[in-house]
Amino acid sequence: MPGVPTDGGAVGTVVPFSREPGDAVAAPPVRTIRHGVAPPVSRVYVSFSSGNLLQVACLGPPIPEGGGGRGAQEVAVGRVVEVNLGGGGSGPGGADVEEEIDEAEMRRIQYGSVPAFALLQSRKNALADAAAMSRVPSVSEHAEWWQYVLEYSKTIGSLLGNPDSLPAFMIDDPKTILKDREKPTSLKASWELLEIFFVDKQLKSWLPERFVDWLADYDSLLTKTENTVYRTLTNFQKKLINLQIVEDDPDYWNGLAAALSVGWLDIVVNMLRFHGSYQLDQMDNRETENGLVEAVAVLVSTMPRMRPDLPTGKLGHCCKTRPDFIKALEKWRGQVNKLECSAFWIQCGHQKTRDGLKNLLHIMLGNIKNLTAATSHWLELFASHFLYIRPFTVGFEGMNHLAQKCIQLKPSTDNSGLTGLLGGILSENPEVVLAECTKSFGPWMVTHAMELLTADNDYADMMLHEERPNIGGISLEELHRLVYAQVLCSHSLTWQIAPTYLSSCLNQGLGLLEILLLKQPIQDNRLVLKTLEICRLYELGNVSTNIMKIGGIYHWKHGRKGTGVYWFQQAHDKVRLDRIALQLFENIGKSVTDDSFKVLISTLLYALSFV
Amino acid sequence: MADHSSFRRHPHPFSVDLVRWLPTFGSTGRLLAAAVHDPAASSSHIHLLSVSDPSTPLTSLPLPSRATALRCSPSVLAAATTSGSLHLLPSSFDTDSAVSVPSGALFHVGPVRGLDCGGGTGGEEWVTAGEDGRVHVVAGGGDGRVVARRVWEGKGMVGYQAARWASPAEFATGGAGCGVQWWDRRKGDAVVVQCKGIWGHGIVTGMVHSIDIHPSRKHICVVGGSSGTIFAWDLRWPQQPIPLSGVGLDGTAQPVCESEVWEVLFDNYTQSSDIISSASTRILPVMMCSEDGILAVVEQDERPLELLVEPCAINSFDIDPHNPSDVVCALEWESIGVLARGRDTMADE
């Protein structure tokens, strides 16, 4: 096995492999191949077939002429062995994805994204053609572009959901805090994050609220080991079944504070109703207490939100414009203050209730200490700033500054791909975004997310499309697409969708497509026909002729003369067909007694006459 | 015109090569048989599936190599493979009582794509035609013994791709570059008529992928092959095949597809749009599936009616004989599609 030449010698040098003791590089695995060819093996040919298959042809010395007098004895003079080198390692998903999504599901996503990708590319080409012809940059068309990308994004986003995991029948237990929904995947979380920040222009004015919604869906994925609001609530839910007096448990109040700080208002109101003072036999004794709890619940449910609408079941008072929101916020804060200063607190008997409710009120007033104590992860603190402290933060610079502050207040060691991704997005660094996608989510994600990054971002557009000499003169976009296409080609179920991606690579794509098609096995006629169909679609006439000729020779040599002739006819291979016709004429002329054999040959000649 | 049809796509892991309706009913409704191949493990199976949930197999029968043909008779399910073996399973789907004819010098060597049931006195004889140029008739099956009789040894001079019984003593075959042949067993197991077929302008010859013969008009075959070619062959005029669809043919409507037509079947559900003068010379509507993802109904001198246009190839389909409005198809991208057609499927305008 050749090692790396140490002095940068000439290309093609074979360098002996020497394993030094104490070498840092581990020895490569050695596989034994059983080929069944009697020694001595005179020649060995090695070549890669489709995907991870290595074909090793072992040939013994040629049998001398006339030595085969025994005829029927089967001695293996040569054998071709296929070695499957695959198994484990780089699949189409990255580290995070492979744990959550199994292979068949990933392939389903890959299949489904092909039509969306192809449509977007054809629209891009149409726009480029129109622009080239008219020579005037069309502003309206460019403005529409983000809508096409949004459509593409929504189509692919819908593939990433997991509708099967939703239980068909859900009996609403009144004591559930967190409803059963479809299990979220980090792939979908990261896709939505990119869509929110890069594509959806309608969202620009209420981006913070949209981020709060995103966090509500995907909080459970932020970290595996550390605490999150979601984990706090699920732990409390487990305890809830056995709790007699809910309001005595500090986890109850912690859960309430946590849910309020990230804006899960419906959960807060629901949980407040678990309070003991609502029970019918307690109502008379704890009237004031109950009144306070109810008052807080009402305040929570009328919190002003800077957004046009809310999904059903969610709480809050929606304000469409800034002046409306400021007015509503002032009024609401005034009500919170009034409650905080009221005299009823003295009459409230239960210490924990008093402290817990006051904590909630301080959160609603935007007290940073309470918010920091209530949240567990810096992303949650980040979201709580949008709700309670700085609801008008728009613009990446402001958000990035805020994010840095939150990271300082709540440093975290276990970072999932999502946190890294968000860091890259907020620091307006497309390189970091792509690097995170590659590391955590794999080549599928990178290839398809590049379209989202370039939707409205000139810098990203330029960075991805400039041709770089250090990678052979191709652009980064093409490089990532080629990597993804290679992953597709390595699996015999997905190689047929690789041409869509290869054809969008302007430099190397077509060349690699030709190589891919020529490497497909020709033993199975159906597969050959599928390969030829791809050749036809991409107008690769010489490739299809070559494949047909190879197929013809294969079938002819293995005794299927009719099929062999058919392939030669399809390839218009006059040379070989003439040679065959000559051979058969001679056969008919010789003393062949078998009438049926004559009939067969004449059938074949009849077929040949249609060249 | 309101479209009442519904199409459901069910993901099914690994390559679904062939799919057929089973004549028996299961506890949850209709049953399907699907030939499935897993390239990573190099294993092939016949799966028994329920229409309501085709993603999970109820039982499965392992095969020695990839299935190349699948056919159901009222009591037996048969599968032929790429190595040349034939496997017969009784309709109770009891995998222990499966009978097989192994590949080899006595049977086939190489893929067997022509497979049909219907010959012989009881209609339970199977014809197999392979790419090695051999044709066999297999009788028995169900009682544990099968006998394969060689009808023809082509010595590789022709490669057969399709076969279909017409009557207990006659069957049709088609192959690569040799057109279609009509065999009559009463005349010494030989080809009595053959036809090159009509392949469209600029195309000399093609590969026949599928043949169907209508049970009530046994002298007419419909043939589907490469380059989107579909033609009908009426034995009363054996050298004048009737083109139904093809690239560059004059006089026919726009070709329904330009790539391989994998399967054709006569469609009982679609009423012929010309009921009044439905003389016996008119070819009945034919359903086809193709490599470019089209499932359509083709009729002579009419515009084809596209039922499905998929982004991936449709490798196989079957019409439910008990309920011809239902069609199941095998899609390239690891899924099975079930199409339930509405009441009116006549072509509009």
Side-chain angles (χ1 to χ4, degrees):
Chain A
M1 173 148 171
V4 178
T6 47
D7 59 349
V11 177
T13 321
V14 175
V15 177
F17 180 79
S18 59
R19 224 182 317 157
E20 306 289 330
D23 209 348
V25 178
V30 176
R31 290 175 183 238
T32 323
I33 299 179
R34 298 151 79 86
H35 51 74
V37 177
V41 175
S42 65
R43 279 182 191 263
V44 175
Y45 292 97
V46 175
S47 90
F48 266 106
S49 166
S50 55
N52 291 328
L53 289 177
L54 186 69
Q55 286 179 330
V56 180
C58 302
L59 300 175
I63 296 179
E65 293 285 333
R70 298 188 207 134
Q73 209 173 38
E74 294 260 321
V75 176
V77 195
R79 193 153 285 175
V80 180
V81 179
E82 249 181 11
V83 183
N84 193 340
L85 292 176
S90 56
D96 284 357
V97 176
E98 273 171 4
E99 295 167 13
E100 296 172 345
I101 303 183
D102 69 356
E103 277 187 32
E105 177 68 25
M106 193 68 218
R107 284 201 302 271
R108 193 184 65 83
I109 295 172
Q110 289 173 311
Y111 293 136
S113 25
V114 171
F117 183 83
L119 179 61
L120 193 68
Q121 298 310 311
S122 75
R123 279 178 167 156
K124 200 186 277 190
N125 292 337
L127 272 179
D129 289 343
M133 287 205 296
S134 65
R135 284 180 212 188
V136 171
S138 162
V139 179
S140 62
E141 279 173 352
H142 188 74
E144 268 176 23
W145 177 247
W146 72 267
Q147 282 175 331
Y148 289 146
V149 181
L150 185 64
E151 191 187 315
Y152 160 81
S153 176
K154 295 263 182 238
T155 312
I156 294 194
S158 64
L159 289 169
L160 301 174
N162 211 349
D164 297 334
S165 60
L166 197 64
F169 254 146
M170 283 191 316
I171 301 173
D172 258 334
D173 182 3
K175 285 237 169 171
T176 44
I177 303 171
L178 295 162
K179 289 203 180 57
D180 263 334
R181 303 165 296 125
E182 61 175 68
K183 196 166 173 309
T185 58
S186 20
L187 201 59
K188 185 155 192 191
S190 52
W191 188 265
E192 280 195 16
L193 208 55
L194 291 173
E195 189 183 297
I196 294 170
F197 280 99
F198 287 110
V199 184
D200 202 343
K201 282 194 168 170
Q202 292 165 332
L203 292 181
K204 278 277 154 68
S205 53
W206 53 285
L207 192 74
E209 278 279 342
R210 185 66 189 89
F211 179 75
V212 169
D213 285 348
W214 178 88
L215 190 64
D217 285 334
Y218 299 110
D219 188 54
S220 50
L221 296 171
L222 287 182
T223 164
K224 291 190 203 39
T225 51
E226 293 168 1
N227 214 7
T228 55
V229 170
Y230 184 84
R231 206 157 280 147
T232 311
L233 289 174
T234 23
N235 289 338
F236 180 67
Q237 171 133 7
K238 288 190 199 125
K239 268 173 105 175
L240 188 59
I241 310 168
N242 298 321
L243 269 184
Q244 296 293 344
I245 306 177
V246 172
E247 60 270 21
D248 273 347
D249 193 338
D251 282 340
Y252 174 67
W253 298 107
N254 288 340
L256 274 172
L260 183 62
S261 63
V262 285
W264 300 357
L265 305 179
D266 51 325
I267 291 178
V268 173
V269 171
N270 201 20
M271 269 177 87
L272 280 172
R273 300 268 152 80
F274 297 162
H275 194 269
S277 63
Y278 282 97
Q279 285 172 6
L280 292 172
D281 56 340
Q282 307 263 337
M283 283 274 241
D284 301 324
N285 303 346
R286 304 162 73 170
E287 215 178 308
T288 322
E289 205 180 317
N290 186 259
L292 286 168
V293 174
E294 186 60 33
V296 171
V298 167
L299 279 174
V300 167
S301 61
T302 54
M303 175 177 160
R305 311 282 296 262
M306 180 75 219
R307 57 192 294 160
D309 52 30
L310 272 170
T312 46
K314 303 284 178 191
L315 298 170
H317 171 72
C318 297
C319 305
K320 292 199 177 70
T321 63
R322 233 170 136 153
D324 278 349
F325 176 74
I326 295 175
K327 227 167 44 184
L329 188 64
E330 263 181 46
K331 186 162 156 235
W332 182 74
R333 285 249 160 98
Q335 288 170 335
V336 175
N337 263 315
K338 208 167 112 191
L339 182 61
E340 219 236 332
C341 304
S342 89
F344 289 113
W345 293 106
I346 311 167
Q347 295 176 21
C348 172
H350 195 238
Q351 169 85 18
K352 287 207 173 85
T353 304
R354 199 166 57 224
D355 292 340
L357 289 177
K358 284 224 168 172
N359 190 22
L360 293 183
L361 291 177
H362 286 141
I363 287 178
M364 287 195 262
L365 289 172
N367 187 320
I368 183 83
K369 278 209 201 66
N370 298 72
L371 282 171
T372 315
T375 53
S376 321
H377 192 274
W378 73 263
L379 263 175
E380 294 161 356
L381 185 58
F382 185 59
S384 67
H385 272 78
F386 289 143
L387 286 167
Y388 300 108
I389 303 181
R390 289 159 55 178
F392 299 123
T393 314
V394 286
F396 286 88
E397 215 180 298
M399 282 197 267
N400 195 20
H401 187 70
L402 179 60
Q404 296 305 319
K405 210 172 92 178
C406 294
I407 295 175
Q408 274 177 347
L409 283 172
K410 285 202 176 292
S412 152
T413 48
D414 174 22
N415 279 319
S416 70
L418 289 173
T419 39
L421 189 63
L422 187 61
I425 293 174
L426 293 177
S427 56
E428 291 186 272
N429 206 335
E431 287 104 336
V432 173
V433 173
L434 277 180
E436 274 302 327
C437 284
T438 314
K439 190 178 71 175
S440 310
F441 305 111
W444 176 88
M445 179 69 176
V446 177
T447 308
H448 293 89
M450 282 195 293
E451 302 295 336
L452 301 183
L453 291 180
T454 57
D456 194 37
N457 188 331
D458 285 335
Y459 171 67
D461 196 42
M462 188 199 70
M463 180 198 88
L464 287 174
H465 289 136
E466 86 177 279
E467 296 189 353
R468 291 164 188 249
N470 60 329
I471 45 174
I474 60 175
S475 62
L476 271 184
E477 183 183 69
E478 183 165 331
L479 178 69
H480 287 297
R481 283 183 191 165
L482 289 177
V483 168
Y484 179 56
Q486 283 183 330
V487 172
L488 289 176
C489 295
S490 67
H491 200 294
S492 50
L493 288 171
T494 49
W495 77 266
Q496 286 185 56
I497 58 179
T500 310
Y501 296 93
L502 287 173
S503 62
S504 69
C505 297
L506 301 169
N507 271 314
Q508 307 275 359
L510 226 48
L512 288 173
L513 178 59
E514 290 189 8
I515 295 176
L516 168 68
L517 294 169
L518 283 169
K519 281 218 179 271
Q520 291 308 312
I522 40 87
Q523 288 89 344
D524 182 6
N525 277 322
R526 280 234 155 170
L527 189 55
V528 173
L529 289 168
K530 286 181 187 279
T531 312
L532 291 172
E533 172 66 13
I534 297 177
C535 292
R536 186 184 74 88
L537 285 173
Y538 291 99
E539 295 172 358
L540 299 169
N542 53 336
V543 176
S544 59
T545 312
N546 280 337
I547 293 174
M548 290 181 205
K549 284 186 192 170
I550 296 171
I553 292 184
Y554 171 77
H555 288 288
W556 181 267
K557 290 279 183 193
H558 281 74
R560 288 185 288 276
K561 303 205 185 301
T563 313
V565 165
Y566 170 73
W567 284 119
F568 288 135
Q569 282 177 315
Q570 296 294 98
H572 302 290
D573 192 349
K574 269 203 76 60
V575 171
R576 283 184 189 87
L577 286 170
D578 284 345
R579 210 180 293 165
I580 291 172
L582 218 57
Q583 216 176 41
L584 291 170
F585 271 126
E586 285 167 12
N587 270 334
I588 291 232
K590 282 193 196 138
S591 55
V592 177
T593 51
D594 191 354
D595 277 329
S596 63
F597 197 62
K598 278 200 193 145
V599 166
L600 286 170
I601 294 191
S602 51
T603 312
L604 200 52
L605 284 170
Y606 174 60
L608 277 174
S609 67
F610 280 79
V611 172
Chain B
M1 169 153 319
D3 181 13
H4 303 283
S5 42
S6 74
F7 179 62
R8 284 177 296 134
R9 204 177 285 117
H10 300 270
H12 189 102
F14 314 124
S15 176
V16 184
D17 296 330
L18 297 154
V19 68
R20 301 277 178 256
W21 290 99
L22 281 175
T24 48
F25 281 74
S27 53
T28 45
R30 300 285 286 132
L31 293 174
L32 301 169
V36 169
H37 176 75
D38 177 3
S42 283
S43 66
S44 313
H45 294 271
I46 305 278
H47 283 323
L48 177 70
L49 311 165
S50 153
V51 164
S52 46
D53 180 24
S55 304
T56 40
L58 299 170
T59 33
S60 71
L61 167 75
L63 294 175
S65 53
R66 197 165 183 170
T68 48
L70 190 67
R71 197 66 74 189
C72 301
S73 79
S75 57
V76 174
L77 171 68
T81 66
T82 194
S83 54
S85 57
L86 176 69
H87 303 265
L88 300 163
L89 196 63
S91 58
S92 60
F93 227 80
D94 174 17
T95 47
D96 294 329
S97 51
V99 185
S100 65
V101 183
S103 60
L106 295 173
F107 196 51
H108 289 280
V109 285
V112 175
R113 293 197 195 272
L115 178 69
D116 193 28
C117 176
T121 41
E124 278 289 329
E125 284 187 358
W126 297 83
V127 63
T128 62
E131 287 188 9
D132 52 4
R134 296 176 182 165
V135 179
H136 293 89
V137 169
V138 179
D143 66 335
R145 263 180 33 97
V146 278
V147 175
R149 211 170 71 70
R150 180 162 298 171
V151 169
W152 184 250
E153 164 67 281
K155 293 202 171 83
M157 296 293 172
V158 277
Y160 296 109
Q161 301 278 333
R164 197 58 109 158
W165 285 104
S167 70
E170 298 160 291
F171 60 89
T173 57
C178 53
V180 277
Q181 302 82 33
W182 187 269
W183 304 67
D184 197 330
R185 303 193 66 194
R186 298 165 297 203
K187 304 208 175 115
D189 280 344
V191 176
V192 290
V193 201
Q194 61 182 347
C195 165
K196 270 268 153 202
I198 276 199
W199 297 94
H201 276 185
I203 304 167
V204 171
T205 184
M207 199 182 277
V208 171
H209 293 304
S210 173
I211 302 175
D212 194 24
I213 300 177
H214 199 277
S216 62
R217 292 185 193 178
K218 298 205 199 251
H219 49 275
I220 300 181
C221 301
V222 68
V223 178
S226 45
S227 305
T229 305
I230 307 174
F231 63 88
W233 186 34
D234 192 330
L235 283 171
R236 295 170 296 183
W237 300 282
Q239 298 311 323
Q240 289 161 14
I242 305 155
L244 294 176
S245 177
V247 179
L249 292 168
D250 296 329
T252 56
Q254 179 77 5
V256 66
C257 79
E258 291 183 358
S259 60
E260 314 297 308
V261 175
W262 293 123
E263 290 197 351
V264 286
L265 275 180
F266 276 109
D267 182 19
N268 293 333
Y269 184 75
T270 305
Q271 299 156 351
S272 179
S273 54
D274 192 4
I275 305 174
I276 299 162
S277 66
S278 62
S280 58
T281 52
R282 229 181 134 77
I283 309 295
L284 293 172
V286 171
M287 191 181 291
M288 50 73 77
C289 73
S290 75
E291 172 67 19
D292 41 17
I294 295 181
L295 184 75
V297 177
V298 173
E299 228 186 306
Q300 189 180 7
D301 296 330
E302 293 286 329
R303 230 176 52 179
L305 173 67
E306 285 180 359
L307 298 170
L308 288 180
V309 180
E310 292 287 302
C312 63
I314 303 180
N315 288 324
S316 165
F317 79 98
D318 197 21
I319 302 178
D320 189 351
H322 289 259
N323 187 13
S325 63
D326 290 347
V327 179
V328 66
C329 46
L331 301 165
E332 179 82 38
W333 289 347
E334 297 182 52
S335 43
I336 292 178
V338 181
L339 175 70
R341 291 183 276 177
R343 308 211 68 237
D344 292 84
T345 49
M346 285 162 58
D348 16 290
E349 314 121 43

